[in-house]
DNA sequence: TCATCCATGATACATTACGTAACAAATGCG
DNA sequence: CGCATTTGTTACGTAATGTATCATGGATGA
């Protein structure tokens, strides 16, 4: 595997030194140097910190995909569209309000998809 | 970190024994058992093999997102989590059911944060 | 040129974590 | 129950990592 260069590149984009980044993710500068040169592999925990810090996915950080994985909308859209959506009548029944403002149909759709997905993930499908 | 159960669950979905999966990703059965019980962490390339085998992202496999295929942008995630959540009384007003099952407080909380984040991003805050 | 500073690369050794065989426990079935 | 299958746990040798420390490279300026 050879993802170290991605770390180096991301770090360069933010114009940080190894020392600075190392401190932000609580590791020694030497360790970071090893990661960037593919001499050592970071702990999963450290890897997650790096991904969080740079705002990218683990898959991107490890070079498994070229998409950093930003933007909420396309993701949510695809996600929702992949599910069976409740029809309008069902949505109407909810009459939801959040912060005093009624949910739009679209928001309600997402809501339903959201909950279904979570339940499914928990094996309660 | 606690992602082992996801491996176990994915394995169960495919109805494989530890031995069978272990062989497919070229590790010992004992190692897999350790992973599933969060006693050991797999090497990154073993992790990648597992993700490939199950067709999920690393982020999902490690429990960083609940969506198997795509990953949630960490920045958005943090943002949502940083929002003040509605208190219990607000949640009670909803009395929602989806697919005949009532929402849990936790489900409602998360969705409220979700909608707020979206509205704010659209400048409707 | 070379002296100095700063960032990075490389090494060595102590420490930690992992891989796996072997044993124990649990589960299922006749 | 007895046996087979699957999974959990332990122990220990091996391999990988963390980091202090030293070496190298690059830039700057006198």
């Amino acid at each position: 595997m050879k993802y170290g260069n991605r770390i180096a590149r991301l770090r360069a984009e933010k114009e940080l030194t190894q020392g600075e980044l190392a401190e932000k993710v609580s590791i020694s500068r030497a360790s970071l140097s090893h990661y960037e040169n593919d001499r050592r592999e970071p702990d999963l925990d450290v890897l997650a910190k790096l991904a969080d810090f740079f705002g990218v996915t683990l898959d991107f950080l490890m070079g498994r995909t070229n998409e950093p994985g930003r933007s909420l909308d396309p993701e949510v859209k695809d996600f929702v569209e992949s599910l069976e959506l409740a029809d309008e009548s069902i949505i109407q029944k909810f009459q939801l309000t959040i912060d005093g403002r009624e949910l739009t149909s679209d928001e309600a759709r997402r809501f339903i998809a959201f909950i279904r997905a979570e339940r499914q993930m928990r094996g309660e499908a």
Side-chain angles (χ1 to χ4, degrees), chain A:
Chain A
M1 204 88 51
K2 194 169 80 83
Y3 56 88
N5 40 13
R6 289 229 162 151
I7 296 175
R9 194 172 316 165
L10 288 165
R11 180 171 64 79
E13 282 176 13
K14 291 204 178 257
E15 298 184 31
L16 294 172
T17 66
Q18 287 183 345
E20 290 166 340
L21 176 56
E23 206 210 341
K24 287 187 186 294
V25 296
S26 306
I27 59 176
S28 72
R29 188 198 60 79
S31 289
L32 180 56
S33 173
H34 288 312
Y35 301 157
E36 292 188 355
N37 289 283
D38 294 306
R39 304 171 65 86
R40 304 280 163 86
E41 289 191 337
D43 190 307
L44 291 181
D45 191 57
V46 171
L47 203 69
K49 281 186 184 173
L50 288 168
D52 285 341
F53 179 78
F54 289 121
V56 299
T57 63
L58 293 180
D59 298 81
F60 176 78
L61 201 58
M62 292 184 61
R64 305 181 86 240
T65 172
N66 287 325
E67 294 194 20
R70 301 171 190 261
S71 87
L72 173 69
D73 260 79
E75 175 195 348
V76 172
K77 206 179 305 167
D78 291 347
F79 179 45
V80 170
E81 282 169 2
S82 73
L83 298 169
E84 294 173 16
L85 299 180
D87 61 31
E88 210 67 24
S89 64
I90 292 179
I91 291 173
Q92 295 301 338
K93 292 197 304 189
F94 289 138
Q95 300 175 330
L96 286 176
T97 61
I98 289 181
D99 300 329
R101 181 152 14 122
E102 195 169 351
L103 280 188
T104 66
S105 293
D106 192 53
E107 283 172 335
R109 273 203 190 83
R110 292 186 184 188
F111 175 40
I112 293 165
F114 186 78
I115 298 300
R116 279 184 174 158
E118 285 206 317
R119 286 177 173 171
Q120 187 164 356
M121 289 314 308
R122 292 199 302 267
E124 301 171 22

